[in-house]
Amino acid sequence: NDDKTFRNSESLLPRHPNGYYREYTVKTPGSSDRGARRILVGAPDEKFWTDDHYDYFSRIREGS
């Protein structure tokens, strides 16, 4: 189920045209299914993390 379009239906991330964000699963230890952890990617420098299945997002910043 990775590299699928994330629709951003609730507009929790910055608004962009449909198909802009892609979704990737992060393995959740102890989970028998995909679990709740995801990384969402827009532009190469625009990445977000959620560990609660889209209730809250944190921006991933690379480097410093």
Side-chain angles (χ1 to χ4, degrees):
N1 289 328
D2 286 338
D3 197 28
K4 301 263 179 157
T5 297
F6 176 74
R7 292 185 169 274
N8 194 29
S9 300
E10 291 80 18
S11 299
L12 298 172
L13 298 177
R15 290 181 186 228
H16 289 283
N18 212 8
Y20 179 83
Y21 292 107
R22 307 300 288 179
E23 172 180 355
Y24 300 90
T25 303
V26 178
K27 289 185 179 180
T28 302
S31 179
S32 62
D33 59 14
R34 288 179 72 197
R37 303 185 319 171
R38 305 280 190 281
I39 291 177
L40 291 293
V41 179
D45 63 343
E46 193 173 23
K47 298 175 184 146
F48 298 88
W49 159 262
T50 180
D51 63 356
D52 56 14
H53 206 258
Y54 319 122
D55 285 333
Y56 178 79
F57 292 93
S58 298
R59 182 118 189 220
I60 298 171
R61 305 228 185 245
E62 297 180 38
S64 46

